[in-house]
Amino acid sequence: ITNLNYNSDKKNEFVVYQGASLTITNTFSPNADFENYGTLKVGALNLNSNSDFENVGSFEVTSNNPTTINGEVDNVGSFTTNGNLTINGGAKFKNECTASINGDLQVNNDFETKYGAYTNVTGKITINGSGELKTKDGSLVTANELHLNGEIDGDGSTSMVKIAAAT
């Protein structure tokens, strides 16, 4: 699909089922909930504040376009961006499996990683004012650089945040 407008209320359902795949070559900017159990690839993602995205399968932003999260993401599969990822105020990102950010991660609200999940950021992590990186129960976060203006909070069993250089 080249373009897909998904501006609906929460009564409708958008699901990529297990074994299925969907590629959207341009920006996907949903205004409602959607779920991925298969393979979903998009040129860019702008998740609006009315959207909840549940990823159980494989999700990838195929270009180096920035990914913006204004709603909620619950990742229990593989989540990959090939550019920067921004978690805006009011947004939440929960990683319970693998998140690969091939760029920078900017956290302006909640980024939570738990239950042995792995988050790899090839660039820098910037945690701003009300932003919080929450680690829980054996999770691992790696990045090349850290700019900490907010909080990092650990809970449960030992987790690790590994930074190549901190500023």
Side-chain angles (χ1 to χ4, degrees):
I1 298 174
T2 304
N3 292 304
L4 175 63
N5 291 323
Y6 187 54
N7 297 314
S8 183
D9 63 24
K10 295 184 183 233
K11 294 178 186 174
N12 289 325
E13 192 174 80
F14 181 89
V15 179
V16 178
Y17 288 101
Q18 186 175 4
S21 64
L22 174 64
T23 300
I24 302 168
T25 56
N26 289 324
T27 301
F28 183 44
S29 187
N31 226 3
D33 298 348
F34 68 103
E35 301 169 12
N36 175 45
Y37 298 92
T39 301
L40 176 59
K41 295 181 179 186
V42 299
L45 176 66
N46 177 33
L47 187 68
N48 289 306
S49 59
N50 294 329
S51 290
D52 292 338
F53 172 31
E54 181 179 2
N55 181 51
V56 179
S58 175
F59 173 80
E60 181 181 4
V61 176
T62 58
S63 71
N64 62 358
N65 289 324
T67 298
T68 305
I69 306 296
N70 295 300
E72 292 189 23
V73 173
D74 189 6
N75 179 53
V76 292
S78 172
F79 185 100
T80 302
T81 64
N82 288 306
N84 297 335
L85 172 63
T86 300
I87 313 299
N88 282 325
K92 293 182 180 179
F93 192 107
K94 296 177 195 169
N95 181 34
E96 296 181 26
C97 196
T98 304
S100 300
I101 296 105
N102 297 312
D104 296 338
L105 171 61
Q106 184 165 325
V107 180
N108 298 311
N109 202 37
D110 289 346
F111 189 97
E112 182 176 5
T113 182
K114 56 187 180 178
Y115 309 129
Y118 176 56
T119 303
N120 179 47
V121 180
T122 62
K124 69 182 173 199
I125 298 174
T126 302
I127 303 172
N128 292 314
S130 62
E132 186 173 4
L133 173 62
K134 299 176 183 180
T135 62
K136 183 175 182 176
D137 293 332
S139 60
L140 172 63
V141 178
T142 62
N144 284 328
E145 204 174 313
L146 173 66
H147 296 258
L148 183 60
N149 302 309
E151 287 185 40
I152 297 176
D153 182 27
D155 189 27
S157 63
T158 304
S159 296
M160 181 185 294
V161 177
K162 186 177 179 181
I163 306 299
T167 58

